[in-house]
Amino acid sequence: MTETAKPISTKALIAASLPRRYRAEQRFRLYGRAAILLAISALALLLFSVGSQGFTAFSIYRFNLPLQLDAKLIDPKHTADPKVIAKGRYRKLIQKALSDAFPEVRSRSDKRALYAFSTGLNSVDLRNQVVKNPSLIGTQIRFTAPLSDDLDLYLKGKITPRKFGKGDGTLTASAPGPKTLTLTGQPGAFEALIQHIRQKRLVQASRLETRAEKLRERIKGANKEVAVVQQTEIKRLENLAADMRQKAKEHTIHLDKLDPSILIDFNQGFIKAIKLSDHQITGTPLLSPTSLEPTQNWQSLTLDSPERARRVTDKQAAWAEALLARGHVKRSFNSIFFTHADSREPELAGIAGAMVGSILTLMATMLAAVPIGILAAIYLEEFAPKNRLTDFIEVNINNLAAVPSIIFGLLGLAVFLNMFHMPRSAPIVGGLVLALMTLPVIIIASRAAIKAVPPSIREAALGIGASKTQTVFDHVLPLAAPGILTGTIIGLARALGETAPLLMIGMVAFIADIPKSLTSPATAMPVQIYLWASSAERSWESRTAAAIIILLLLMIILNLTAVFLRHKFERRW
Amino acid sequence: MDTSVSPATQTTDTPAVQQAPKVQARKVNVFYGNKQALFDVNLDIPDRSVTSFIGPSGCGKSTFLRCINRMNDTIDICRVEGDILLDGKDVYARDVDPVILRASVGMVFQKPNPFPKSIFDNVAYGPRIHGLASNPEELSEIVETSLRRAGLWTEVADRLDEPGTGLSGGQQQRLVIARAIAVRPEVILMDEPCSALDPIATARIEELIDDLRNNYCIIMVTHSMAQAARVSQHTAFFHLGKLVEAGPTEQIFTNPNDKRTQDYITGRFG
């Protein structure tokens, strides 16, 4: 019984343990899939957030206006002297062109608001055009320049969403006073707008109530004096909320400073609503309509964030909408971003300076690190005697690869700038510092690649009387080339993305010119991203993301080159 | 040492060899670090014949072979004592350049190791680095004669541009032999040249070795007793780092002096 049972029991044991083993295997696969899924979704999230942010920076709104190159403002004495022409009052010319587009804008504050459509630096561009071609003086040209960043953001819907509502039925207008217009539509024409305002007010009220509630929670344990102060704040919030709820019930809505702005586009004019009822709107014209003829062709524009909470006023919004409708403002590809260096004005800032800086820096890195790295690797792997000294060197190379990059920056600062007095902020210094950082990576990768070449090839070459050098350069190096290339490119890609060491040697400065040589002041892409990311204005946000996209693209190109070269050389051998 | 006849004197006794030995070893000791791999090896190897080294794994026959063209120089921890004379001149002498030595003492390895280059370049590499050809025509002539001698010409004449690594194992080994003879060596060392090949390819290589015997001194390490018996005129038996016995193949296989040789040949160990 036992003799026959034994083999069966072995099988049975195995069979019994099988489900557990398979379950373990399945569990492991599940973990693997979960890990991959997590990694992919994290990557997708990153790409989506960067992509959706940066996407808007690739297009820009430009205004295109007729501009009279008035000789009185450029060269009043007709000297035709380039020096005089260069000193013309170009800013004034651009301002006049903007004024001409809206002749009804009279008051100083309104004019200032209108002139904000064009940044002051646009005058430089106009001056350059005129200096290059003085025969333009006295003629009318069409001047194109980027709209200032706030208005660009407004038109992109980034400041507050531009919600248009198609007008329903005929709208008639009457002017009871000089600065008042009454628009009358069919019954229920403004019902949707009224509902929207009511809802907004209720949301606002409940928000205030939550705040009051939170404060109340907080003062429970606090001392009396604080509690008394907070008590009045709570009271104020609650009153406001109650007020809001009350106002939400109004039959005729009186819009106040906390409400969204409602603009009615009527006969090429914009009227800002003040009093809003079922079929009638009373408001002030922000931009006068061309006529008061009744029209079916009207629409409403709702800007949810209250006027005082945003950087673009209702008037500016109306002007921007009008320019857009007239075709004087158009959205187009943001070529400035790819051809300009950094600027104080986001609409004139570009990545080109940083890109050229990065390329120059990387060139310096490559020239310094690649030959030294590969030769060091060859020597250590093929020629150097194996003794304590080479062991010590090897350990130190491995350690250097793990040194934080800012340390290399400090080293560069101390050695290249302070000892050798090399120029500050220059790509050559940045390149050398990055070369120091990349060297260990290249050496380690190259040594691994050389070590991976089968010894039989070396024996074959030595066996027919090739010298050591001939063996290495004729046979070992070609075989190790794909590995060396891959390691080198990955090292360089890392250098391309490095910020910290460049901060130490002054490549973090604001540089408004595209660098021309290895010694001219420059910045690099990651540093540019860092600089923009720490800027306050909203428009930098999208430009930061756009710069990240470009940097990532460069990285991908570099890494694809590595993969491509690897495959190409591997197939040949 | 316990052999009655010294292996060094034995070869000179054989009537087949009249001229001076091509390679002579005198008291050769080899160390890998602290470990001694060869003990006092004395051996004469005649020219224009095939000499086989046999013995169990790790007995030092490959080590000894690699001493003859100083391939052991590439191993850092390896140290060679004693004299190895090629045509009466010590190959370990100070004024001998291993590059020149290896050009006259070619080597073929256990695993075929053609360069990952074209068939032509494989054979042409040696002549090219040594400057044996003054013009391209001369070079292609050397390549052709070498390939013909290695019996590979008819098989590869129309595809000299193809990579040498694309040939079959036997063809690769013949390519490697062609590469070795392209630099006109006097001695060819072969370290188990057929152990990675099938019997048919082995037979072709053996034929080739038999042909080459007329022009070169061939020294071969083999694990196959039958191969040693078939191909070689002289045989040396190594055991535990010592040269136990050497002599004409016929004598070693039919009437060995040493008990260990007999045991090994009859398959009692090894």
Side-chain angles (χ1 to χ4, degrees):
Chain A
M1 180 70 204
T2 44
E3 283 149 31
T4 51
K6 199 146 197 189
I8 294 167
S9 80
T10 313
K11 264 188 191 166
L13 272 176
I14 295 173
S17 76
L18 266 185
R20 189 166 46 81
R21 276 147 61 171
Y22 285 141
R23 271 202 305 280
E25 194 175 314
Q26 242 156 16
R27 248 194 330 272
F28 182 74
R29 275 191 205 174
L30 206 71
Y31 295 153
R33 276 190 204 144
I36 299 252
L37 200 72
L38 205 69
I40 288 181
S41 48
L43 184 69
L45 193 71
L46 171 86
L47 288 182
F48 175 75
S49 79
V50 170
S52 60
Q53 270 285 337
F55 181 70
T56 53
F58 291 128
S59 68
I60 195 170
Y61 280 94
R62 288 186 171 88
F63 67 84
N64 176 328
L65 290 172
L67 187 145
Q68 188 68 39
L69 285 172
D70 194 345
K72 267 186 269 168
L73 288 174
I74 301 172
D75 188 10
K77 288 172 191 156
H78 302 284
T79 55
D81 179 1
K83 274 186 195 153
V84 175
I85 292 173
K87 282 184 183 151
R89 302 178 62 195
Y90 298 100
R91 182 188 284 239
K92 186 89 193 157
L93 287 172
I94 296 173
Q95 288 174 349
K96 268 186 84 178
L98 283 165
S99 290
D100 290 348
F102 299 103
E104 64 176 90
V105 175
R106 288 280 159 77
S107 80
R108 272 176 89 89
S109 62
D110 281 357
K111 278 195 167 171
R112 203 176 304 138
L114 180 59
Y115 296 159
F117 273 49
S118 164
T119 143
L121 289 175
N122 283 337
S123 60
V124 177
D125 188 29
L126 179 62
R127 184 190 68 195
N128 291 346
Q129 280 186 36
V130 176
V131 168
K132 217 199 271 175
N133 191 0
S135 64
L136 289 174
I137 296 170
T139 63
Q140 193 190 53
I141 59 163
R142 291 202 70 97
F143 181 65
T144 305
L147 212 52
S148 81
D149 59 320
D150 283 333
L151 286 141
D152 182 59
L153 280 182
Y154 164 74
L155 286 175
K156 283 170 180 168
K158 289 268 172 178
I159 284 184
T160 183
R162 296 154 63 213
K163 275 188 272 182
F164 288 99
K166 185 88 195 72
D168 194 10
T170 315
L171 204 59
T172 53
S174 61
K179 283 203 164 179
T180 319
L181 266 182
T182 305
L183 302 168
T184 314
Q186 63 184 50
F190 306 128
E191 189 56 40
L193 294 174
I194 290 177
Q195 287 304 339
H196 182 70
I197 300 286
R198 282 192 178 138
Q199 203 213 328
K200 280 276 165 193
R201 284 178 172 177
L202 288 175
V203 169
Q204 192 76 14
S206 60
R207 218 175 266 160
L208 289 167
E209 281 157 6
T210 341
R211 251 167 69 191
E213 195 57 41
K214 271 192 185 155
L215 267 182
R216 198 176 295 249
E217 286 290 315
R218 210 183 295 163
I219 60 167
K220 265 182 187 162
N223 65 44
K224 267 196 183 142
E225 280 141 57
V226 177
V228 169
V229 177
Q230 298 287 39
Q231 210 73 50
T232 55
E233 173 66 10
I234 293 167
K235 215 58 263 135
R236 194 182 70 84
L237 289 173
E238 278 173 346
N239 284 342
L240 265 177
D243 200 30
M244 278 282 185
R245 288 205 183 275
Q246 196 55 44
K247 278 208 256 167
K249 290 190 192 125
E250 275 183 342
H251 182 68
T252 304
I253 301 269
H254 293 267
L255 291 155
D256 64 22
K257 57 190 179 182
L258 292 175
D259 285 316
S261 297
I262 291 178
L263 274 51
I264 305 295
D265 176 4
F266 175 77
N267 285 345
Q268 285 97 53
F270 280 88
I271 293 99
K272 182 182 177 172
I274 297 170
K275 209 169 84 186
L276 191 60
S277 76
D278 180 38
H279 65 287
Q280 203 171 55
I281 285 180
T282 310
T284 46
L286 300 172
L287 182 63
S288 305
T290 47
S291 76
L292 294 182
E293 291 293 311
T295 180
Q296 289 197 323
N297 206 1
W298 63 278
Q299 58 179 348
S300 67
L301 167 60
T302 312
L303 305 173
D304 275 343
S305 107
E307 183 175 18
R308 63 171 194 177
R310 53 179 138 90
R311 290 174 64 96
V312 172
T313 64
D314 286 338
K315 261 191 185 151
Q316 286 178 316
W319 294 329
E321 297 291 351
L323 285 175
L324 195 62
R326 291 180 203 166
H328 284 168
V329 163
K330 274 194 184 120
R331 189 173 191 162
S332 54
F333 176 64
N334 188 359
S335 53
I336 295 166
F337 188 69
F338 296 95
T339 53
H340 282 219
D342 200 4
S343 167
R344 275 178 290 117
E345 306 293 341
E347 62 270 32
L348 291 177
I351 193 72
M355 226 156 112
V356 173
S358 262
I359 289 168
L360 287 172
T361 308
L362 209 61
M363 257 167 55
T365 307
M366 211 156 76
L367 288 178
V370 173
I372 296 179
I374 294 177
L375 290 175
I378 292 172
Y379 178 74
L380 286 174
E381 203 52 54
E382 295 284 336
F383 295 96
K386 303 272 175 287
N387 55 27
R388 286 237 179 102
L389 182 67
T390 45
D391 282 349
F392 178 73
I393 290 174
E394 177 160 5
V395 167
N396 275 294
I397 288 173
N398 291 340
N399 281 342
L400 278 179
V403 166
S405 54
I406 193 140
I407 309 284
F408 286 104
L410 276 170
L411 180 77
L413 176 65
V415 175
F416 296 129
L417 296 190
N418 290 347
M419 269 172 65
F420 297 155
H421 301 291
M422 290 171 94
R424 229 158 259 275
S425 313
I428 177 94
V429 181
L432 288 176
V433 169
L434 291 179
L436 290 180
M437 199 195 77
T438 324
L439 257 178
V441 179
I442 293 182
I443 294 178
I444 291 171
S446 303
R447 287 188 70 172
I450 291 169
K451 209 175 261 176
V453 173
S456 64
I457 293 297
R458 293 186 184 84
E459 286 185 336
L462 290 174
I464 47 173
S467 69
K468 190 86 200 180
T469 317
Q470 282 169 330
T471 307
V472 169
F473 283 93
D474 292 352
H475 301 287
V476 177
L477 215 50
L479 282 177
I484 293 178
L485 268 175
T486 315
T488 303
I489 291 176
I490 286 170
L492 289 178
R494 198 185 133 198
L496 178 67
E498 202 56 67
T499 325
L502 301 182
L503 301 184
M504 301 307 301
I505 53 145
M507 283 185 84
V508 70
F510 170 81
I511 285 148
D513 290 313
I514 295 177
K516 289 190 182 60
S517 74
L518 281 172
T519 49
S520 49
T523 187
M525 289 180 72
V527 182
Q528 187 71 77
I529 290 168
Y530 165 78
L531 281 173
W532 285 352
S534 47
S535 299
E537 280 157 80
R538 276 288 303 277
S539 319
W540 293 116
E541 217 172 77
S542 61
R543 284 177 172 75
T544 308
I548 291 173
I549 292 174
I550 308 268
L551 182 61
L552 285 180
L553 277 178
L554 273 182
M555 296 272 191
I556 290 171
I557 289 173
L558 266 183
N559 284 328
L560 282 182
T561 317
V563 172
F564 171 76
L565 286 175
R566 182 173 202 118
H567 276 266
K568 194 180 166 198
F569 282 104
E570 270 182 354
R571 226 173 287 146
R572 221 169 87 191
W573 296 108
Chain B
M1 277 159 265
D2 46 353
T3 45
S4 52
V5 187
S6 131
T9 51
Q10 200 168 31
T11 40
T12 45
D13 285 348
T14 48
V17 183
Q18 267 91 34
Q19 77 271 52
K22 185 78 182 167
V23 179
Q24 291 170 287
R26 293 286 174 269
K27 291 193 75 130
V28 173
N29 287 296
V30 178
F31 303 85
Y32 289 115
N34 296 322
K35 198 175 154 280
Q36 189 164 6
L38 279 180
F39 300 85
D40 283 332
V41 173
N42 291 301
L43 182 64
D44 287 358
I45 295 165
D47 201 3
R48 292 177 203 280
S49 71
V50 180
T51 306
S52 288
F53 293 172
I54 58 170
S57 293
C59 68
K61 52 194 190 303
S62 285
T63 300
F64 181 66
L65 189 77
R66 293 165 66 96
C67 285
I68 299 172
N69 70 342
R70 291 179 60 173
M71 277 305 269
N72 284 336
D73 287 13
T74 57
I75 302 164
D76 281 334
I77 53 167
C78 183
R79 191 158 50 84
V80 181
E81 283 174 5
D83 299 329
I84 292 175
L85 309 174
L86 177 69
D87 289 327
K89 192 163 170 31
D90 185 8
V91 299
Y92 278 91
R94 223 158 249 237
D95 60 336
V96 172
D97 192 313
V99 168
I100 296 172
L101 173 71
R102 287 181 198 139
S104 52
V105 183
M107 187 149 187
V108 174
F109 297 86
Q110 179 173 0
K111 239 186 105 216
N113 56 356
F115 299 131
K117 296 177 189 261
S118 73
I119 293 171
F120 184 90
D121 285 338
N122 257 289
V123 183
Y125 181 71
R128 230 178 239 155
I129 57 169
H130 294 306
L132 299 184
S134 50
N135 55 49
E137 289 80 43
E138 217 173 307
L139 188 66
S140 8
E141 210 181 292
I142 295 176
V143 170
E144 189 183 331
T145 21
S146 306
L147 283 169
R148 270 189 205 286
R149 277 215 185 144
L152 196 61
W153 177 253
T154 49
E155 289 159 64
V156 300
D158 54 342
R159 47 174 176 149
L160 290 174
D161 293 335
E162 284 175 31
T165 41
L167 297 172
S168 74
Q171 286 174 325
Q172 285 188 19
Q173 199 64 304
R174 276 181 282 151
L175 176 64
V176 169
I177 293 172
R179 185 177 68 190
I181 55 188
V183 291
R184 298 181 212 137
E186 297 155 32
V187 181
I188 301 176
L189 309 177
M190 297 188 178
D191 193 354
E192 297 179 42
C194 300
S195 63
L197 303 181
D198 65 69
I200 294 168
T202 302
R204 294 229 44 185
I205 301 281
E206 285 179 4
E207 262 171 55
L208 172 60
I209 292 173
D210 209 44
D211 285 346
L212 295 174
R213 171 165 71 94
N214 301 321
N215 298 306
Y216 305 95
C217 163
I218 296 175
I219 308 171
M220 180 173 77
V221 167
T222 179
H223 270 134
S224 157
M225 236 69 69
Q227 189 175 51
R230 277 197 304 269
V231 182
S232 62
Q233 288 75 50
H234 300 269
T235 300
F237 172 62
F238 286 77
H239 183 55
L240 296 177
K242 294 189 176 96
L243 175 61
V244 174
E245 191 173 354
T249 303
E250 210 167 300
Q251 186 210 322
I252 296 280
F253 276 84
T254 54
N255 186 22
N257 290 317
D258 196 281
K259 175 95 174 33
R260 286 170 294 176
T261 316
Q262 182 157 23
D263 286 351
Y264 182 70
I265 284 163
T266 51
R268 236 166 261 166
F269 74 92

